[in-house]
Amino acid sequence: MLFVFIAIQTDFVQNRIVQIAVKKISAEIGAPISIKYVSFSLFNSMNLQGVLIKDRKNDTLVYAGAVKLRITDWFFFKDHAIIKYIGLEDAVVKLNRSDSVWNYQFIANYFAGSQKKKKEIRWT
């Protein structure tokens, strides 16, 4: 257990885990996603660099030079996590819609999940 805790603190392991997750999510939503570099603390923060999300037409949906996320300290011991801060740096966001469907709707649907599995997200 100690080895896993120490290993997960290294950049190599963090980036490998994120690349596996990004590849899986990208395949499941049917649109390209890439992240160049990630650094996170197990207890409350994540910093991503070079984040690119494309829509199903292969047009850029979001590009951010840096994404910073801060959540509740020790969130895994609590009933729900509270997002304290989300920051984008050097970002381009291209939202559009044809008819009544936004170009990001497929991502919202993916993360919405079923009503039974939903956890409340609180913005403070």
Side-chain angles (χ1 to χ4, degrees):
M1 188 71 160
L2 181 61
F3 174 75
V4 171
F5 180 76
I6 292 170
I8 202 121
Q9 297 296 319
T10 66
D11 288 345
F12 175 78
V13 173
Q14 291 176 1
N15 281 280
R16 185 68 183 131
I17 290 169
V18 168
Q19 294 308 319
I20 291 168
V22 164
K23 185 177 179 182
K24 181 179 186 222
I25 292 170
S26 183
E28 288 177 358
I29 66 172
I33 299 174
S34 65
I35 299 173
K36 289 185 180 176
Y37 179 79
V38 64
S39 174
F40 62 89
S41 164
L42 289 179
F43 305 116
N44 71 348
S45 68
M46 179 179 288
N47 297 313
L48 307 169
Q49 294 178 357
V51 176
L52 176 64
I53 302 172
K54 293 191 174 190
D55 64 15
R56 289 189 170 159
K57 294 179 182 176
N58 210 29
D59 292 329
T60 298
L61 187 58
V62 176
Y63 173 79
V67 177
K68 297 180 180 188
L69 175 68
R70 305 293 179 267
I71 59 175
T72 310
D73 291 339
W74 298 84
F75 67 94
F76 43 86
F77 290 122
K78 300 188 178 182
D79 291 336
H80 57 271
I82 297 173
I83 297 173
K84 300 283 188 177
Y85 173 81
I86 296 177
L88 299 175
E89 295 177 4
D90 301 322
V92 175
V93 179
K94 296 181 180 179
L95 304 179
N96 62 53
R97 66 179 182 176
S98 57
D99 297 324
S100 62
V101 180
W102 287 93
N103 61 339
Y104 65 86
Q105 188 61 50
F106 68 101
I107 296 173
N109 293 344
Y110 176 80
F111 286 104
S114 70
Q115 290 289 49
K116 292 179 184 178
K117 291 183 179 180
K118 272 190 183 175
K119 284 199 168 191
E120 179 182 342
I121 298 175
R122 293 187 196 174
W123 298 85
T124 59

